[in-house]
Amino acid sequence: MDYNAYVTEERIEGAEEGRLAGRTVAVKDNISTAGVRTTCGSAMLADYVPPYDATVVERLKEAGATIPGKTNMDEFGMGTTTETSAFGPVENPAAEGYVPGGSSGGSAAVVAAGDADMALGSDTGGSVRCPAAFCGVVGIKPTYGLVSRYGLIAYANSLEQIGPIAPTVEEAAELLEVIAGPDERDATTRDASEALGDGEATAITGDVTDEDGGYDFVSAADGDVDGMEIGVPTELLDGADDAVVEQFWAAIDDLEAAGASYHEVTLPSLEHAVEAYYVIATSEASSNLARFDGVRYGVSGGYDGDWNEAFARAREEGFGPEVKRRVLLGTFALSAGYQDKYYKKAQDARAWVKQDFDEALGAADVLASPTMPVPPLERGESLDDPLQMYLADANTTPVNLANLPAISVPAGETGDDRPVGLQFVGPAFGERAVIRAGSALG
Ligand code: GLN
């Protein structure tokens, strides 16, 4: 069946040898590939062919992976259903008739359908974890700074990270090892072992580097959660769908049976996370998307004596309704007179969310919640009600505000066979902790 998961199917061959030789890794269409068009799911970039590779693409090629194509996505990453793409919506291979989640819906769909071995997505407010949860596969949102964003076309750069999507936790960890690590072309990248400092490895996390000095995430995927302490933020269960909550507790029971223990914890700031996220994300988007004016980038608006008119025409024709809505919202939030009321408040809330997570993670190895408060939505359901769509991001967006790592792993299905995902959140550069927790369910 055609899931409409690819925008462009064009093979990019990697090196002959390497740890990913013989395997295919599909790449989200907001990650630059030299010579292969990269559209961001937008009519604005329908003909854009990047002259260079993103760092993660370079690393995939060096590792011998074959890239089978560029995957469909919500326009510029703005969405939770992969229905805002200018190239049409993506079908969910794990629950036909329902959305695959978003915005990396194409990446999760190709993995769920078995059309690619693994895939890369990007996660600004949940876009790796949400589609992984809806399609019944594994997705990791790395700590901010673990993976280079060089060549990722920015939506909201202070929030986003490129992350792996794979059928199993072990394969997702392997792909993360390939793409992670400092990059001189992205000054926000950090070395995980340096960031963690000496003596940070606990019995639960283990050492982040192996004897050769490379990152080691794979050995954490051993399913051993004996002695692990799990915090459950009650705010992330409130308001979640009953069928989702049921699967969540069943998974926690399994973890307990494997030797983990859990306690409930309250993080009052989480109530404000979605609001803060949408103010910050739209503000950054309004600035990042200013370059799409038909002159620097994007379809031409046709100059006829007035540049303002030409820019306006390019943006009117090139952007879809969700992108326009967010550019307007972000421009408003940053405008003189309103900045303190919205943007500054949102930054304060962000700091509070961070602080709440730090405290909770002081008393737990990982935090657990449903990845999404709802099971996959019916196609078309959320398009008329953007606010409803934004609220579905309640459990994923706080993690981006706090710059922390998280994983989504499959945790059963609803009564009508729709996949449910469970999210583990860890401390900064604690990828091994979330990988270990996730692998006990995988
Ligand atoms: N659904 C969120 C948004 O629309 C997250 C998107 C993302 O992570 N790219 O902003």
Side-chain angles (χ1 to χ4, degrees):
M1 154 152 203
D2 181 14
Y3 300 102
N4 198 29
Y6 285 109
V7 175
T8 305
E9 280 188 77
E10 196 173 323
R11 280 176 96 77
I12 304 171
E13 298 293 345
E16 299 227 323
E17 283 171 33
R19 62 188 300 196
L20 296 182
R23 281 192 279 176
T24 51
V25 182
V27 172
K28 187 177 182 178
D29 211 20
N30 59 352
I31 299 174
S32 303
T33 38
V36 175
R37 77 170 178 156
T38 300
T39 69
C40 284
S42 182
M44 182 65 95
L45 293 177
D47 301 317
Y48 172 62
V49 178
Y52 64 94
D53 276 332
T55 296
V56 293
V57 168
E58 243 174 35
R59 290 183 183 177
L60 287 182
K61 286 166 138 180
E62 276 162 22
T66 297
I67 298 172
K70 305 296 296 290
T71 58
N72 205 349
M73 55 181 281
D74 280 302
E75 188 176 1
F76 285 100
M78 298 176 185
T80 307
T81 62
T82 314
E83 293 173 295
T84 72
S85 168
F87 301 92
V90 174
E91 172 72 77
N92 185 339
E96 279 169 27
Y98 294 94
V99 302
S103 63
S104 315
S107 288
V110 293
V111 173
D115 290 337
D117 296 318
M118 301 186 270
L120 291 183
S122 66
D123 191 311
T124 312
S127 283
V128 162
R129 289 161 287 158
C130 161
F134 281 6
C135 292
V137 295
V138 174
I140 298 176
K141 180 259 169 216
T143 306
Y144 191 78
L146 182 72
V147 177
S148 170
R149 287 180 295 105
Y150 179 77
L152 169 68
I153 299 174
Y155 154 23
N157 46 287
S158 84
L159 297 159
E160 56 211 6
Q161 278 285 289
I162 294 168
I165 297 176
T168 65
V169 174
E170 195 171 354
E171 289 160 287
E174 191 180 4
L175 184 50
L176 185 61
E177 279 182 19
V178 170
I179 61 170
D183 176 14
E184 60 183 21
R185 291 173 298 189
D186 175 359
T188 63
T189 52
R190 291 189 70 188
D191 180 66
S193 54
E194 258 174 56
L196 285 168
D198 288 341
E200 278 287 332
T202 65
I204 298 297
T205 58
D207 216 330
V208 72
T209 45
D210 57 23
E211 309 91 69
D212 305 330
Y215 287 143
D216 174 12
F217 299 122
V218 172
S219 75
D222 61 2
D224 181 7
V225 291
D226 197 22
M228 183 181 274
E229 184 62 37
I230 300 169
V232 177
T234 51
E235 288 80 4
L236 301 184
L237 284 169
D238 291 346
D241 207 273
D242 288 345
V244 170
V245 173
E246 202 180 299
Q247 295 306 313
F248 172 77
W249 286 118
I252 296 290
D253 283 349
D254 290 346
L255 293 167
E256 270 199 301
S261 37
Y262 82 91
H263 62 269
E264 292 188 14
V265 55
T266 64
L267 280 66
S269 65
L270 294 190
E271 216 184 299
H272 307 282
V274 177
E275 286 100 321
Y277 168 81
Y278 274 96
V279 171
I280 294 170
T282 57
S283 296
E284 290 185 19
S286 72
S287 163
N288 283 323
L289 270 57
R291 71 193 65 166
F292 303 106
D293 55 15
V295 175
R296 287 171 293 177
Y297 292 95
V299 289
S300 170
Y303 177 70
D304 61 3
D306 184 335
W307 282 115
N308 279 333
E309 289 292 326
F311 294 161
R313 269 195 303 274
R315 293 165 74 78
E316 164 65 31
E317 285 161 24
F319 288 148
E322 187 58 32
V323 173
K324 286 178 184 151
R325 178 181 297 124
R326 295 194 189 197
V327 169
L328 286 172
L329 280 172
T331 307
F332 177 73
L334 289 178
S335 58
Y338 289 102
Q339 246 177 56
D340 286 356
K341 200 167 163 201
Y342 298 110
Y343 188 70
K344 173 130 194 328
K345 274 237 166 79
Q347 293 294 1
D348 288 347
R350 182 174 190 173
W352 185 21
V353 169
K354 251 183 152 104
Q355 194 183 318
D356 266 358
F357 269 119
D358 283 350
E359 254 169 55
L361 285 163
D365 298 302
V366 293
L367 305 177
S369 78
T371 306
M372 299 299 288
V374 288
L377 308 170
E378 262 176 63
R379 286 173 57 172
E381 209 180 321
S382 72
L383 280 180
D384 301 330
D385 190 351
L387 204 57
Q388 218 39 49
M389 185 176 81
Y390 299 167
L391 288 173
D393 298 333
N395 293 5
T396 49
T397 52
V399 182
N400 301 73
L401 290 172
N403 298 338
L404 298 175
I407 193 169
S408 177
V409 293
E413 294 180 337
T414 60
D416 57 358
D417 302 331
R418 285 182 280 168
V420 171
L422 191 142
Q423 164 177 262
F424 292 105
V425 182
F429 297 99
E431 269 73 11
R432 286 183 58 95
V434 299
I435 287 167
R436 172 152 287 154
S439 68
L441 296 175

